[in-house]
Amino acid sequence: GFVRFPIPGKRLLLLLLIGTIILPRQVTLVPTYSFFSTLGWKGTWLPLLVPHFFANAYNVFLLRQYFMTLPRELDEAAMLDGAGPIQILLRVIIPQSWPVIVSVALFHLVFAWNDYFDPLLYLMGKPDLMPISIGIQQFNYIYDQQPHLIQATALLTLVVPLVIFLMSQKVFMRGIVITGVDK
């Protein structure tokens, strides 16, 4: 919407959105915790999963910058063929945007995988639901004087993000090939 549609006050909205990047996490901590408690999500994985389905300001900015590089002539050609805005999004823009979409998804995955504070806050008293980031910290506390065990657990926590990153290499390479072609 920030790139393709004429929105009144678009620059001001974008400036406000980008301004939220400098907002410290501690400012929104109490209202967010109160909101999730009111919904009854405390003690479940929902406050850890659901927010990642919505973009943050950094990802909106990243996607906006990528969409600005896509030529508008492709939109116009699709409109001449009778496509509406949703069809243009699904059939023209998204197929060309897989590298940036996968990048945003990887950023979210790695952030959620490494997050320590939110699981500690929302899953307090539920040790069976704690993710690996909390488990590795507890393991480090128990086996403090055995660095080989701590290194082994750290290596195991790298496996899932590394495998997903390696699986997504095909998409990244396709993006490099597309951007490297002379137009």
Side-chain angles (χ1 to χ4, degrees), residues 34-111:
S34 173
F35 176 72
F36 288 140
S37 291
T38 304
L39 290 177
W41 287 5
K42 199 174 81 168
T44 68
W45 284 47
L46 291 173
L48 306 176
L49 297 175
V50 172
H52 291 288
F53 287 105
F54 300 97
N56 58 24
Y58 174 74
N59 293 333
V60 170
F61 181 72
L62 182 68
L63 290 167
R64 177 189 174 269
Q65 293 303 107
Y66 184 83
F67 291 151
M68 286 176 62
T69 65
L70 298 177
R72 293 182 68 67
E73 290 82 14
L74 295 172
D75 296 3
E76 294 167 1
M79 276 189 245
L80 289 175
D81 287 342
I86 300 295
Q87 289 176 326
I88 292 172
L89 176 69
L90 294 176
R91 295 187 179 161
V92 176
I93 295 175
I94 289 181
Q96 295 181 46
S97 303
W98 280 115
V100 74
I101 291 170
V102 169
S103 296
V104 166
L106 281 173
F107 288 150
H108 271 295
L109 172 83
V110 171
F111 177 77

Side-chain angles (χ1 to χ4, degrees), residues 105-155:
L106 281 173
F107 288 150
H108 271 295
L109 172 83
V110 171
F111 177 77
W113 186 260
N114 292 329
D115 193 14
Y116 180 77
F117 184 71
D118 283 350
L120 198 61
L121 181 68
Y122 293 116
L123 298 177
M124 194 179 328
K126 303 263 184 169
D128 54 327
L129 294 178
M130 294 289 183
I132 198 163
S133 59
I134 305 293
I136 195 170
Q137 187 63 28
Q138 291 173 347
F139 189 83
N140 287 348
Y141 179 73
I142 293 169
Y143 298 103
D144 186 33
Q145 300 301 319
Q146 298 178 356
H148 61 284
L149 294 177
I150 294 171
Q151 289 174 349
T153 57
L155 184 65

